[in-house]
Amino acid sequence: MSLDGCSIEKNKIDCPCTYSGCPRAGACCECIKYHRAKDQLPACYFTPEQEKTYNRSIEYFIECRTK
Ligand code: SF4
């Protein structure tokens, strides 16, 4: 796999995050780093309904997956 084609603009097309104004939008490596440092997961781990809560905690992720 080549990462030569990795681009922020291409990533933004698939990014499900609705938090506008985030400086990490499309920069998946920075997104993971930011949320991991807070014991969280990025938006793409959640369904659209869950994502809209902006609750990115691991606890919320587990709660959603065990319902
Ligand atoms: S998931 Fe978090 S870091 Fe990633 S684009 Fe959304 S608000 Fe920004």
Side-chain angles (χ1 to χ4, degrees):
M1 180 176 82
S2 167
L3 295 178
D4 290 346
C6 186
S7 90
I8 288 177
E9 291 311 311
K10 274 174 38 182
N11 290 344
K12 279 183 181 176
I13 293 169
D14 295 325
C15 179
C17 187
T18 61
Y19 190 81
S20 62
C22 177
R24 290 164 291 278
C28 303
C29 49
E30 294 300 323
C31 182
I32 288 276
K33 193 188 304 179
Y34 174 80
H35 284 291
R36 184 176 171 173
K38 294 170 168 276
D39 274 341
Q40 297 175 344
L41 293 165
C44 53
Y45 276 78
F46 299 92
T47 66
E49 292 73 28
Q50 295 160 0
E51 189 281 328
K52 288 179 192 148
T53 68
Y54 297 141
N55 185 348
R56 310 279 195 245
S57 70
I58 291 172
E59 290 81 7
Y60 182 56
F61 174 77
I62 293 170
E63 179 189 322
C64 291
R65 288 297 175 109
T66 53
K67 278 182 185 170

